[in-house]
Amino acid sequence: MQCPTCERSFDSENGMRIHHSHQHDAPLPNRTCNGCGTEFYDAKSRLKYCGDCNPNTGENNGNWKGAKDVGACQLCESEFTYYPSEKKGTYCPECVESADGLLPQNSTTKNRVSVSCLYCETTLEVYPSRAETRKRGVFCDSDCYGAWLSENIVGENHHQWEGGDFDYGQKWWRVRREALERDDYTCQHCGISKDEIGRNPDVHHVERVRDFERTEKAHTLENVITLCRSCHRNVEAGNVRNLRP
């Protein structure tokens, strides 16, 4: 059996094919197209059609550049072309790009209502469903919610009240807020501030909560320190030691 390029002889077809791929940088055909009869190479030896005859390529494919449909935009009424396999042809590209949201009907402000955070009174734009399902009120974030709990919900009215037991949930939110205020909302390791972070820093327990027999005993100002998210992770990983408030 000879190599069709250099005419070197081989004892087997497989040996000749390996030689041709390595020496001539081109694999030899191993398939015959059922459509046009052309020989072609397929790495997995599974294809029945060459690229020109494949029913999923060329003109037969919905993404072929010559197979676009023409539609009229429902906003500006201008005509535009689109691939049927990609979208229904409802809006032209210009209207989609300029829309406030992914599409005009999904505007980020449409159908929202204005409410005030129950703790800091910041005005929030929320969907009616959020305002209606929050029985106690709407809050900016968990920090405002926790601060509100520590000041307003006490005793048996608190969601963590346990028949007169110490309200450890209320205490944690109060201690957390006091720690942030004590540390001026600034990481006590690297010095980055709340304004630089763009959010409240974390409050870290120096002695781990799980090391206390009673959880609430861990929630004291002497056992917490303000850290940014990055420093907090390094402390938890053991890369920073001996931090004290």
Side-chain angles (χ1 to χ4, degrees):
M1 188 166 293
Q2 290 184 329
C3 171
T5 301
C6 65
E7 298 185 353
R8 178 180 172 180
S9 298
F10 293 88
D11 294 333
S12 67
E13 180 181 355
N14 188 50
M16 183 265 292
R17 287 181 175 278
I18 293 175
H19 155 78
H20 199 278
S21 295
H22 287 85
Q23 295 299 318
H24 305 296
D25 296 323
L28 292 172
N30 60 354
R31 305 292 291 170
T32 300
C33 176
N34 288 351
C36 64
T38 301
E39 291 187 340
F40 65 98
Y41 175 75
D42 171 27
K44 296 184 178 181
S45 299
R46 296 176 180 175
L47 298 179
K48 296 181 180 180
Y49 298 90
C50 67
D52 293 334
C53 296
N54 192 327
N56 295 316
T57 61
E59 296 182 9
N60 298 312
N61 190 287
N63 287 325
W64 181 55
K65 65 179 181 179
K68 286 186 176 181
D69 282 348
V70 177
C73 178
Q74 291 187 11
L75 286 181
C76 67
E77 299 182 353
S78 64
E79 288 190 351
F80 66 99
T81 58
Y82 65 96
Y83 293 119
S85 60
E86 290 183 352
K87 54 188 176 182
K88 296 181 180 180
T90 305
Y91 304 103
C92 68
E94 290 75 17
C95 285
V96 171
E97 185 175 353
S98 62
D100 184 12
L102 294 178
L103 289 174
Q105 70 268 30
N106 294 331
S107 170
T108 55
T109 57
K110 185 178 181 180
N111 297 327
R112 294 198 179 193
V113 296
S114 296
V115 295
S116 297
C117 172
L118 197 59
Y119 180 71
C120 70
E121 299 184 353
T122 297
T123 300
L124 306 172
E125 298 292 332
V126 302
Y127 288 111
S129 58
R130 180 183 176 189
E132 294 168 359
T133 55
R134 299 298 178 93
K135 295 181 180 179
R136 287 176 177 159
V138 177
F139 299 88
C140 295
D141 50 32
S142 58
D143 290 331
C144 278
Y145 179 54
W148 180 81
L149 283 177
S150 67
E151 293 182 1
N152 296 278
I153 308 299
V154 297
E156 61 184 2
N157 293 319
H158 195 276
H159 69 290
Q160 290 177 324
W161 174 261
E162 297 181 356
D165 195 8
F166 188 84
D167 191 347
Y168 58 88
Q170 181 190 21
K171 182 178 181 181
W172 162 239
W173 284 106
R174 183 172 62 251
V175 169
R176 184 180 188 279
R177 184 186 60 191
E178 291 173 355
L180 289 170
E181 293 174 348
R182 177 197 65 193
D183 297 335
D184 197 25
Y185 292 84
T186 300
C187 176
Q188 298 303 290
H189 182 251
C190 72
I192 191 172
S193 67
K194 171 185 176 180
D195 290 339
E196 294 174 292
I197 299 173
R199 58 180 293 277
N200 281 341
D202 294 348
V203 175
H204 168 69
H205 287 86
V206 178
E207 297 294 332
R208 299 177 303 181
V209 175
R210 62 176 176 269
D211 291 338
F212 288 80
E213 185 174 343
R214 287 178 60 85
T215 301
E216 68 272 9
K217 297 296 184 182
H219 303 332
T220 63
L221 275 176
E222 294 73 25
N223 190 47
V224 293
I225 187 171
T226 301
L227 298 172
C228 68
R229 183 63 55 86
S230 178
C231 289
H232 197 178
R233 289 172 179 166
N234 277 321
V235 170
E236 295 288 354
N239 299 325
V240 178
R241 300 179 183 275
N242 302 320
L243 277 178
R244 290 288 172 181

